[in-house]
Amino acid sequence: GQSLEQPSEVTAVEGAIVQINCTYQTSGFYGLSWYQQHDGGAPTFLSYNALDGLEETGRFSSFLSRSDSYGYLLLQELQMKDSASYFCAVRDSGGYQKVTFGTGTKLQVIP
Amino acid sequence: DSGVTQTPKHLITATGQRVTLRCSPRSGDLSVYWYQQSLDQGLQFLIQYYNGEERAKGNILERFSAQQFPDLHSELNLSSLELGDSALYFCASSAHGSAGDTEAFFGQGTRLTVV
């Protein structure tokens, strides 16, 4: 089976940088995704890492280390609208390749 | 707009009843996923379909069932409802449901309240 661990809550100041970590245990692994979800809204895709290293998309970057079963999401120049929950998700490499989500990190951006 | 449509948006029903949630995937996507999200909880994977066939099963209760129809829309049936089934139910779709899919597109969810 799969399990993913993320911090439950993080608070950061507007304009600052915040890192949200994710460690995972899977029976197989294809890649690590990150999704953002505002309260009451639908999760929306942010990034995907299949290989080790850093992927940058605007203010958001995502990192993966397959050997450490670890990844993180880095948010720069934080804005109030970044207050949301952030989920990491893994797609396993088993026969059915289902996607399993972590429990999510609630980010609060304060002025 | 993700292109995934879920109906209804809200549903209030009594314990013991049965409801059907509907999902239309993004045009061209063959794979549909169902997730349950209880208050302040993560997304619990329920079940995945690919082109009409069940592909993967998660922690789905026996009281719950789903299917994907030839036109690729999917329905999630919840029966003998209990108070604890109150949650947001999300449908997501992706092109193939395989490793080549790096992104899943989520609908706005159906908020089910069991009273």
Side-chain angles (χ1 to χ4, degrees):
Chain A
Q2 291 88 4
S3 70
L4 298 95
E5 289 193 12
Q6 305 177 232
S8 57
E9 293 182 0
V10 172
T11 300
V13 178
E14 189 177 14
I17 299 172
V18 71
Q19 178 174 313
I20 299 174
N21 299 320
C22 173
T23 56
Y24 59 87
Q25 288 185 320
T26 65
S27 54
F29 178 82
Y30 265 131
L32 183 72
S33 302
W34 288 92
Y35 286 79
Q36 178 192 60
Q37 184 184 30
H38 287 98
D39 280 348
T44 56
F45 174 81
L46 291 177
S47 68
Y48 177 77
N49 295 69
L51 304 175
D52 286 358
L54 192 68
E55 295 280 342
E56 298 182 62
T57 309
R59 294 188 297 114
F60 294 179
S61 303
S62 58
F63 172 83
L64 175 65
S65 168
R66 295 173 68 110
S67 60
D68 294 325
S69 298
Y70 163 75
Y72 65 72
L73 179 70
L74 192 73
L75 296 83
Q76 304 181 70
E77 300 173 17
L78 280 172
Q79 301 176 8
M80 299 301 290
K81 67 178 182 179
D82 296 330
S83 293
S85 291
Y86 292 84
F87 295 89
C88 59
V90 295
R91 182 182 290 281
D92 68 45
S93 59
Y96 296 116
Q97 300 169 359
K98 69 177 194 285
V99 177
T100 302
F101 282 78
T103 52
T105 299
K106 191 158 191 171
L107 170 65
Q108 184 181 13
V109 180
I110 57 176
Chain B
D1 183 3
S2 67
V4 178
T5 304
Q6 287 188 250
T7 57
K9 288 184 181 176
H10 302 276
L11 198 50
I12 301 175
T13 190
T15 53
Q17 294 298 304
R18 171 190 168 95
V19 297
T20 297
L21 312 184
R22 183 189 168 102
C23 169
S24 294
R26 211 171 55 120
S27 177
D29 283 355
L30 299 177
S31 192
V32 168
Y33 311 76
W34 286 97
Y35 290 87
Q36 180 193 55
Q37 187 175 40
S38 301
L39 190 63
D40 291 334
Q41 297 294 310
L43 292 152
Q44 297 296 319
F45 172 73
L46 295 178
I47 199 163
Q48 178 194 359
Y49 281 84
Y50 173 75
N51 204 21
E53 294 193 3
E54 182 182 304
R55 173 67 71 87
K57 224 170 194 178
N59 299 323
I60 186 167
L61 300 171
E62 285 193 10
R63 300 184 286 109
F64 295 1
S65 65
Q67 55 185 327
Q68 186 180 27
F69 294 86
D71 66 353
L72 301 177
H73 90 271
S74 177
E75 292 182 355
L76 179 67
N77 300 295
L78 316 175
S79 61
S80 302
L81 284 167
E82 302 174 0
L83 295 178
D85 297 328
S86 296
L88 257 175
Y89 290 84
F90 284 105
C91 167
S93 73
S94 66
H96 302 291
S98 66
D101 292 351
T102 59
E103 178 177 356
F105 298 85
F106 281 79
Q108 290 301 308
T110 293
R111 183 173 293 280
L112 173 66
T113 303
V114 182
V115 297

